[in-house]
Amino acid sequence: MEDKLNVTYITLGGHVELQKYQYLYFVVMFTLYILIICCNSTIVCLIVIHKNLHEPMYIFIAALLINSILYTTTIFPKLLTDFLSETQVITYQACLLFQVFAYYTLAFSEFLLLAAMAYDRYLSICKPLQYPTIMTKKTVSVLLILAWLVSACELALAITLNANIKLCNLTLKGIFCNNSVYKIQCVSSVALSIYGVFILLNLALLPMLFILFTYTRILIICYRSSKTVRNKAAQTCLPHLLVLINFSCFITYDIVIVRLESDIPKIPRFIMTLQIILYHPLFNPIIYGLKMKEISEHLRRLLFQVKSH
């Protein structure tokens, strides 16, 4: 029974001087968590409330921001609890299901949502006459469902295959369960490694290549078009590209660098991990709130109303 418990529970050993700074960590991270929820929710509410924002482009942005809220919520409640706890432990089952599965499902959904947004911009700018007949409400709904369903199904199979693998180490070097969970398994499965590469190619690399292809086509069309078309493209496409570049950098760190975690000092690894879960969810609402003209106008009106009251 004791051996079973030892195998079931794992320790999250990536915290830095937690006993010394636990209350500071908690207050800072709780404040940032509330800020992430409020910023993302505000933009989503603006899109829902205002009818002129009920267009595919803004619906995809709302979905992306909802994804950011869910992405953050898979990590923060447990992290905040750990800051105030004497021990930072989690069951292996909860680690796989509530963090690894949810974290990577939402992370890869982000790429698929960005690919859907790129497709929407491509149709709008390069095929404006066909846009209304192709990008219907049904098409938008199908793209949104697939963005979450495809990644969830592929990750579910990976989690199922990992659930019964024996563990030889009960301490993760991170502050939450992610890719590093493979480091505590006794044997590295070749089949699982191949399937992991398949998921990475299918849910990250292919959407990224599709996005780059569509934006290349958009740039070519804009180069040949009028200044008005170029301005429209810059206004709507630049935020998506910035979000893609930002998120790709952090996912690259998570997928590649975590595999080499033994070579990374504890403090830099801790700082980089915090950036992964903080920077991107805060970056999305700021970039869309400031760079998307229609959203920024509604946001300014909202802030003006709040100040006047």
Side-chain angles (χ1 to χ4, degrees):
M1 181 69 179
E2 185 180 349
D3 182 57
K4 185 177 179 181
L5 287 173
N6 287 339
V7 172
T8 303
Y9 287 87
I10 57 178
T11 302
L12 301 170
H15 295 277
V16 175
E17 297 194 46
L18 186 56
Q19 297 304 317
K20 186 177 180 181
Y21 298 113
Q22 63 181 143
Y23 295 112
L24 176 62
Y25 285 153
F26 179 85
V27 170
V28 171
M29 295 300 284
F30 180 74
T31 303
L32 290 170
Y33 180 46
I34 297 300
L35 186 62
I36 288 169
I37 299 296
C38 290
C39 289
N40 284 279
S41 298
T42 300
I43 305 295
V44 172
C45 288
L46 287 175
I47 292 170
V48 171
I49 292 168
H50 297 286
K51 289 185 178 180
N52 68 321
L53 299 180
H54 292 181
E55 297 177 11
M57 177 174 64
Y58 299 111
I59 293 170
F60 287 128
I61 289 173
L64 201 69
L65 298 180
I66 290 169
N67 201 69
S68 291
I69 294 171
L70 296 173
Y71 170 86
T72 308
T73 304
T74 63
I75 307 299
F76 272 73
K78 171 61 177 167
L79 191 61
L80 292 169
T81 304
D82 284 342
F83 287 150
L84 300 181
S85 302
E86 291 185 7
T87 56
Q88 293 71 48
V89 297
I90 186 171
T91 66
Y92 184 56
Q93 292 78 10
C95 176
L96 288 178
L97 184 60
F98 295 111
Q99 289 202 326
V100 176
F101 172 71
Y103 174 76
Y104 285 110
T105 294
L106 294 166
F108 288 126
S109 292
E110 186 107 357
F111 280 109
L112 296 175
L113 286 169
L114 286 168
M117 293 165 80
Y119 179 59
D120 173 70
R121 290 301 82 211
Y122 169 75
L123 290 176
S124 176
I125 294 167
C126 301
K127 299 180 182 294
L129 298 178
Q130 298 174 26
Y131 180 78
T133 56
I134 298 175
M135 195 54 68
T136 60
K137 288 183 179 180
K138 184 178 179 181
T139 304
V140 173
S141 300
V142 169
L143 290 174
L144 289 175
I145 291 168
L146 288 176
W148 280 300
L149 191 61
V150 171
S151 58
C153 290
E154 292 192 16
L155 264 297
L157 178 57
I159 295 303
T160 303
L161 295 172
N162 273 282
N164 297 317
I165 293 180
K166 187 178 178 182
L167 305 180
C168 284
N169 184 1
L170 302 178
T171 303
L172 282 177
K173 291 187 177 181
I175 59 175
F176 65 92
C177 298
N178 61 355
N179 195 23
S180 60
V181 75
Y182 298 109
K183 290 284 185 178
I184 65 173
Q185 294 175 349
C186 294
V187 181
S188 179
S189 169
V190 176
L192 275 175
S193 297
I194 292 171
Y195 185 64
V197 172
F198 167 77
I199 290 176
L200 190 60
L201 291 174
N202 195 34
L203 299 180
L205 187 60
L206 287 179
M208 194 182 298
L209 291 174
F210 175 77
I211 293 166
L212 293 174
F213 169 76
T214 55
Y215 281 118
T216 301
R217 294 289 303 160
I218 289 170
L219 286 172
I220 292 169
I221 295 293
C222 290
Y223 180 75
R224 297 171 181 170
S225 302
S226 64
K227 187 178 179 181
T228 305
V229 175
R230 286 198 293 271
N231 288 338
K232 179 188 175 184
Q235 268 186 3
T236 59
C237 295
L238 183 60
H240 304 331
L241 283 174
L242 290 173
V243 169
L244 174 66
I245 293 166
N246 172 63
F247 193 64
S248 298
C249 290
F250 285 118
I251 285 296
T252 300
Y253 165 79
D254 185 79
I255 300 294
V256 178
I257 304 301
V258 166
R259 293 286 181 169
L260 307 172
E261 63 182 357
S262 58
D263 301 325
I264 304 172
K266 192 173 184 179
I267 293 176
R269 186 171 64 243
F270 178 69
I271 293 169
M272 281 300 297
T273 304
L274 288 179
Q275 285 190 47
I276 288 175
I277 60 175
L278 283 173
Y279 183 69
H280 183 69
L282 281 171
F283 181 80
N284 276 3
I286 291 170
I287 198 68
Y288 287 121
L290 295 177
K291 292 292 184 182
M292 301 298 288
K293 185 179 177 182
E294 294 292 332
I295 295 176
S296 63
E297 285 179 359
H298 287 298
L299 193 57
R300 276 196 293 270
R301 288 186 198 130
L302 177 65
L303 291 174
F304 179 75
Q305 287 174 0
V306 171
K307 285 181 181 179
S308 63
H309 286 295

